[in-house]
Amino acid sequence: MKLKLPAPNPVTVKELRQNVRSRIVSTGLVGFLFIQVAAVAIALVAGRGDDGDSLYGEALGKAVFGTVMSLLGMVVFVAIPFFIASRMTAERKPERMDLQFTTALTPMQFVDGKIMSAIVLMVLFASTSLPFLMLAYLLRGVDMFSMLGTFLAMAVGAVCVYYLALLFATVKISKAFRIIVALIAIQLTVYMATAIITLAFAFGGAAGVSAGWKGVAFTLLGATTACLLMRSMAAANISPPSSNSARGFRRLAAIFWFVWMVVAGVAALYESEAAYILAWGVPSILVANVLMFIAVSSKPGCSRRVLMEVSPRRWRRLAQFPFFTGAENGIVFAVVLGIATLAVCAGVGALDGFGSSDFVEGVYVAAILFLYPSAFFVTARLLWQFGLRKIMNHNHVGLVGLLLMFLASLLPFLLSLPHSLDSDSPARFAPGNMIAALVAAEEISKDGDAAAFHIFVAIVWLAIALILAGPALFRAFSDFKAPAQRRAPPQTNPTPEQAEKA
């Protein structure tokens, strides 16, 4: 019986064919090879001692290895992500979306195909570094296991960056905002690449330190969780507008939220360290903020096709509501996720042995990170509903919330110059000043008045915003019914004039 291999992803095949014919890829490979030759030659010359000692010193092997891996890291973490993101952005244009509409491929297949082609491209560029890595091994100073571990750590980080690049490429924003985001992403990617390369040396053991099996295990599990979430979110972004695209991602987010809460709780009890709860709570708050940003930037209501999947039972319909697509559904899901996270963190802080000052500061920071951004986003949604709907698309509501948060955090310091950094500066108590709130939360042991003030303002602000958004939320839930459950409009006998017009 012959073993039948699974068919390759059609998107991967298409991408690889385009890469083979692409002049950018071929030119990049040749240029990268020459850059490595020049950089290694410079490293060898600069690594020699003043007395012209032999080239077979251990420092030279480390110098060559560090040079080659740094160059490879910049290509892997900067060049390839922007290459695949630009390709995805070009395919998202209306005149070039025929592949997504003329085939039976699912959005997940598109994302997986793009990622696989990026991984193949990464391996292709890494193959050009093999001769120089062999030279580093022959020069001594670094062993084969350290080299392999460093490369594997870089590969894991690179896959996460590829998912992030595809996620940004699939976001529906205008061209002007996309250019701004691209400029910011270039700068952030360089810092991110430097940090990941440094961590890769640490995990691989090439830096003379060992991360330990616990650090490696938690890092791999965390990277896997982040990649799966970004994969689901990117697939949701390229799904048809009439599909229930948000359900899969929100279910996955809820599952990971519960699983990691259990893992953090077990680790906290076993190690008697509450920091594990914060290590789970802060990322959960950030995920809730991202979901709130997406929700307020989404189209209100659900399509008729999505409503056909709604259960006729009221309680089951209530459980389905936060997980379905729609702006109001997403707002409810993000609020419930954030409040549940803060409740768990506050409950752990109330237990004996866990309520240390550092943990209390962490809980305050987590509360500020959720309450203030959520208040700004819901306020921006209210402004759009009651005034900006006629002049602005709903896709820009989240950006308006970010702009309001940036202005509220920056203007108080500018208006109170040159005393903006003083302890009694009014900028520290400006409502909505997220920077001052985070600083006050970190210094809560010295002066808790500012932190308590910002927490109170954020809670009241978010509560008022949700109350004002309540009618829209209740209306969305009342409309969240299957088409068969909706009451038909009352039939009236038309007049002769109305019948003639009909």
Side-chain angles (χ1 to χ4, degrees):
M1 182 177 180
K2 294 183 179 180
L3 180 62
K4 186 177 181 181
L5 297 177
N9 191 305
V11 180
T12 304
V13 176
K14 177 187 75 70
E15 290 291 326
L16 293 179
R17 287 177 178 175
Q18 292 181 352
N19 292 340
V20 170
R21 301 172 184 175
S22 175
R23 293 183 179 180
I24 298 178
V25 176
S26 58
T27 305
L29 284 171
V30 176
F32 181 59
L33 184 61
F34 279 104
I35 291 175
Q36 289 183 101
V37 171
V40 169
I42 294 174
L44 289 174
V45 174
R48 297 184 62 179
D50 296 334
D51 54 351
D53 55 356
S54 174
L55 288 176
Y56 292 94
E58 292 186 0
L60 285 176
K62 293 182 179 180
V64 172
F65 177 71
T67 301
V68 174
M69 294 304 291
S70 299
L71 291 175
L72 180 61
M74 286 301 169
V75 172
V76 166
F77 293 119
V78 179
I80 296 180
F82 279 96
F83 177 72
I84 62 175
S86 60
R87 293 275 289 269
M88 189 66 181
T89 304
E91 293 181 2
R92 291 286 294 162
K93 293 181 180 180
E95 63 272 10
R96 300 186 62 181
M97 292 184 66
D98 53 342
L99 181 61
Q100 298 185 24
F101 290 106
T102 58
T103 63
L105 299 177
T106 62
M108 286 293 184
Q109 287 180 297
F110 275 93
V111 176
D112 294 341
K114 294 284 185 179
I115 294 298
M116 285 302 301
S117 65
I119 293 175
V120 172
L121 197 60
M122 175 186 64
V123 174
L124 185 62
F125 274 91
S127 64
T128 63
S129 303
L130 289 179
F132 307 102
L133 295 177
M134 183 58 65
L135 176 62
Y137 174 73
L138 294 177
L139 290 175
R140 296 183 302 178
V142 58
D143 59 277
M144 190 65 67
F145 293 102
S146 298
M147 296 169 65
L148 183 60
T150 303
F151 176 75
L152 291 178
M154 287 181 58
V156 172
V159 173
C160 296
V161 175
Y162 298 158
Y163 276 110
L164 185 62
L166 281 183
L167 179 60
F168 276 112
T170 55
V171 175
K172 299 177 182 179
I173 55 178
S174 62
K175 187 176 181 180
F177 284 116
R178 191 176 295 276
I179 293 175
I180 296 175
V181 171
L183 293 176
I184 298 175
I186 290 174
Q187 185 177 5
L188 293 179
T189 305
V190 174
Y191 292 119
M192 186 187 301
T194 304
I196 294 178
I197 292 172
T198 304
L199 292 175
F201 277 94
F203 280 104
V209 296
S210 178
W213 70 269
K214 291 184 179 179
V216 174
F218 277 106
T219 302
L220 289 177
L221 291 176
T224 303
T225 302
C227 289
L228 290 177
L229 289 176
M230 289 186 290
R231 172 178 177 261
S232 180
M233 190 181 299
N237 290 338
I238 63 177
S239 298
S242 59
S243 63
N244 193 7
S245 57
R247 179 173 57 182
F249 172 75
R250 291 174 187 166
R251 284 182 177 178
L252 190 64
I255 292 173
F256 280 135
W257 180 86
F258 180 78
V259 170
W260 277 106
M261 180 186 66
V262 174
V263 172
V266 172
L269 292 175
Y270 181 76
E271 300 287 345
S272 298
E273 181 62 48
Y276 289 100
I277 301 298
L278 290 179
W280 158 81
V282 174
S284 299
I285 291 298
L286 297 179
V287 171
N289 289 337
V290 173
L291 293 177
M292 182 66 76
F293 175 87
I294 297 174
V296 298
S297 303
S298 303
K299 185 178 179 181
C302 303
S303 64
R304 185 179 178 86
R305 176 182 175 184
V306 173
L307 293 176
M308 295 178 65
E309 305 174 13
V310 178
S311 174
R313 298 180 180 179
R314 181 178 180 84
W315 292 109
R316 189 174 181 183
R317 185 161 57 93
L318 182 63
Q320 286 180 333
F321 181 77
F323 294 93
F324 272 53
T325 187
E328 296 81 6
N329 309 60
I331 291 174
V332 172
F333 182 84
V335 170
V336 171
L337 184 66
I339 292 178
T341 303
L342 293 180
V344 172
C345 293
V348 171
L351 297 176
D352 295 334
F354 290 96
S356 62
S357 58
D358 293 337
F359 184 78
V360 172
E361 291 178 2
V363 173
Y364 268 83
V365 169
I368 291 296
L369 288 176
F370 172 72
L371 295 173
Y372 263 151
S374 298
F376 277 108
F377 289 142
V378 178
T379 302
R381 184 72 183 188
L382 292 174
L383 292 176
W384 178 79
Q385 287 180 351
F386 297 118
L388 301 178
R389 183 191 292 264
K390 297 181 180 179
I391 61 176
M392 187 180 67
N393 195 311
H394 59 81
N395 293 330
H396 301 152
V397 175
L399 297 174
V400 173
L402 288 178
L403 179 61
L404 293 176
M405 185 167 56
F406 175 77
L407 294 177
S409 302
L410 182 62
L411 287 180
F413 290 108
L414 294 179
L415 295 176
S416 59
L417 287 175
H419 306 288
S420 57
L421 299 180
D422 296 342
S423 58
D424 56 348
S425 174
R428 297 178 64 246
F429 292 90
N433 191 343
M434 194 168 176
I435 297 177
L438 292 176
V439 173
E442 293 181 355
E443 299 177 354
I444 191 174
S445 58
K446 300 179 181 178
D447 183 13
D449 294 338
F453 171 78
H454 284 290
I455 291 292
F456 175 76
V457 170
I459 291 176
V460 173
W461 185 359
L462 180 59
I464 294 176
L466 291 176
I467 291 173
L468 294 177
L473 298 178
F474 284 110
R475 193 183 312 115
F477 180 72
S478 62
D479 295 337
F480 187 69
K481 298 177 181 178
Q485 290 183 280
R486 295 193 173 189
R487 294 182 179 179
Q491 298 290 336
T492 57
N493 295 326
T495 62
E497 292 80 4
Q498 292 177 344
E500 184 179 356
K501 290 182 179 180

